[in-house]
Amino acid sequence: MDPIFKKILKTVIPLLIGIGLIYYQFSSFTETEVEKIKEYFRNANYFYVFLSVFISLFGYWSRAYRWKYSLNHLGYQPKFHNSFFAVSISYLLNLTIPRSGEISRAVILKNYEKVPFDKGFGTIVAERVVDFLIFLLFVITAFILQFDKINAFIFSHVSPKKITFLLLIACLGIIVFLFLWRWSKWSIILKIKGKLLGLAEGMTSILKMKTKWKYLAHSFFIWFSYLMMFYVCIFSIPETASMSFDIVIMGFIFGTLAVGFTNGGIGAFPISIAKVLLLYGIAEDAGTALGWIIWTSQTLLTIVLGLISYLLLHLLNKN
């Protein structure tokens, strides 16, 4: 497949899915419900929305600062502002082609700090490993806190026979996968093995750092800032302000997953928030409004900060 056409597909398909989800969600609402959503936007307490955006800036700062530990470990001393600009630009590019921002970070570091692309990209791979493990910790925590609710939801929608059948299919799938993993020479399997090997090497480099505890502290702080960004926004709407923290974690998890489903979570983020909160008795129009308020504010921050960073990157590195 032509590389340019492949890039276009990576951009257009998730975008079309996002637009489709927006159409699906709003076509299911009555005119009264749509007007109610608009009213939520008009009457929202934007102090909490701006507070959420402000908290997000700490996440940007911490991600850029964390990066220096892995780069220092490799013997490089990049300027902090270049690292911060690279991170901000990467978030902006991820709104177009998913995961293209990771490549841009390594390219920016190569062009402005003379860090070889493969080494810079390796540090980003290591970050993804840590981020995934921390997110997995959120998922496990949410499952423990909401076990009764999740259990009741599953058994109310799926019969025990179907669950047993699905478990058997899953076990068979695992056996087939392990067999292919061990003996298959298929290019797709070899490619996955190569990626996992890269992840393992990235994780090993973190464990060898002298500053690994500071690195991990920043990693937890980054995700804490993400969670708090989500949490403070619930107070912008009266209908969601009384949500318990365990419900917030559930919304945060599904919202995070939705961000990777379409370009920056367009369409997918609000609908996932609305559906999750609906399980806890929060009206779908209120959940939809909250999802759109969070997504819109964070997307605007990403665009504005990314564009400013792009301009300053060139201005501050003229020489």
Side-chain angles (χ1 to χ4, degrees):
M1 184 181 290
D2 184 74
I4 296 176
F5 183 67
K6 192 174 181 180
K7 285 184 178 179
I8 292 173
L9 286 180
K10 284 183 178 180
T11 304
V12 173
I13 291 177
L15 184 60
L16 289 176
I17 292 173
I19 294 171
L21 288 172
I22 294 172
Y23 175 78
Y24 163 76
Q25 185 177 34
F26 281 93
S27 63
S28 64
F29 288 134
T30 63
E31 288 186 16
T32 304
E33 289 172 325
V34 172
E35 282 301 317
K36 200 169 182 181
I37 291 172
K38 291 179 181 177
E39 188 178 336
Y40 282 126
F41 266 86
R42 286 193 295 267
N43 299 328
N45 189 336
Y46 283 95
F47 166 78
Y48 292 105
V49 179
F50 286 113
L51 179 60
S52 170
V53 170
F54 180 70
I55 291 171
S56 295
L57 292 173
F58 285 96
Y60 280 81
W61 168 82
S62 189
R63 184 171 288 280
Y65 199 83
R66 177 182 68 169
W67 200 10
K68 82 165 190 173
Y69 293 120
S70 52
L71 292 170
N72 289 169
H73 176 69
L74 297 176
Y76 299 98
Q77 304 285 337
K79 300 179 185 71
F80 174 75
H81 64 259
N82 283 339
S83 297
F84 183 85
F85 295 154
V87 167
S88 300
I89 293 169
S90 73
Y91 277 107
L92 176 61
L93 290 178
N94 279 337
L95 294 178
T96 56
I97 302 175
R99 298 306 172 195
S100 61
E102 280 70 13
I103 297 173
S104 75
R105 280 176 64 184
V107 170
I108 290 171
L109 216 64
K110 176 180 180 294
N111 291 339
Y112 292 96
E113 294 290 349
K114 308 304 179 186
V115 177
F117 177 84
D118 57 339
K119 292 187 177 181
F121 190 72
T123 62
I124 297 167
V125 170
E127 287 182 10
R128 289 302 170 210
V129 175
V130 175
D131 288 339
F132 172 75
L133 292 176
I134 294 175
F135 179 69
L136 190 61
L137 186 61
F138 274 106
V139 174
I140 294 171
T141 301
F143 183 83
I144 294 171
L145 293 174
Q146 295 292 313
F147 178 79
D148 292 338
K149 188 76 175 180
I150 295 170
N151 188 54
F153 175 78
I154 291 173
F155 280 97
S156 66
H157 288 76
V158 186
S159 66
K161 286 185 179 179
K162 285 185 177 180
I163 292 175
T164 303
F165 176 74
L166 290 172
L167 287 174
L168 288 173
I169 292 296
C171 289
L172 180 61
I174 291 171
I175 292 170
V176 171
F177 176 78
L178 291 175
F179 177 82
L180 291 174
W181 185 265
R182 178 64 180 83
W183 287 286
S184 176
K185 300 298 181 182
W186 292 351
S187 60
I188 184 67
I189 298 295
L190 296 175
K191 186 179 291 186
I192 293 173
K193 283 184 177 181
K195 287 184 178 293
L196 289 178
L197 180 62
L199 293 176
E201 289 175 354
M203 194 63 193
T204 303
S205 69
I206 293 171
L207 296 175
K208 292 177 180 178
M209 283 184 201
K210 292 181 180 178
T211 55
K212 58 178 173 290
W213 297 116
K214 291 180 180 179
Y215 184 97
L216 292 174
H218 272 280
S219 299
F220 279 101
F221 179 78
I222 289 166
W223 282 89
F224 175 73
S225 69
Y226 291 165
L227 179 60
M228 293 309 296
M229 169 274 293
F230 187 96
Y231 176 62
V232 298
C233 251
I234 72 171
F235 299 107
S236 63
I237 297 177
E239 284 75 6
T240 60
S242 59
M243 286 194 323
S244 60
F245 199 68
D246 51 346
I247 299 175
V248 171
I249 293 177
M250 289 295 292
F252 172 72
I253 288 170
F254 281 91
T256 302
L257 290 171
V259 169
F261 188 67
T262 59
N263 302 52
I266 182 173
F269 184 90
I271 199 172
S272 66
I273 300 301
K275 296 301 182 184
V276 169
L277 299 187
L278 189 61
L279 295 176
Y280 297 93
I282 295 171
E284 190 168 3
D285 51 10
T288 299
L290 177 66
W292 277 108
I293 287 172
I294 295 173
W295 183 85
T296 303
S297 60
Q298 293 301 317
T299 301
L300 286 174
L301 172 66
T302 299
I303 294 171
V304 171
L305 200 59
L307 292 175
I308 292 173
S309 295
Y310 181 78
L311 292 173
L312 292 178
L313 181 68
H314 295 288
L315 289 174
L316 297 181
N317 290 278
K318 276 188 173 181
N319 297 325

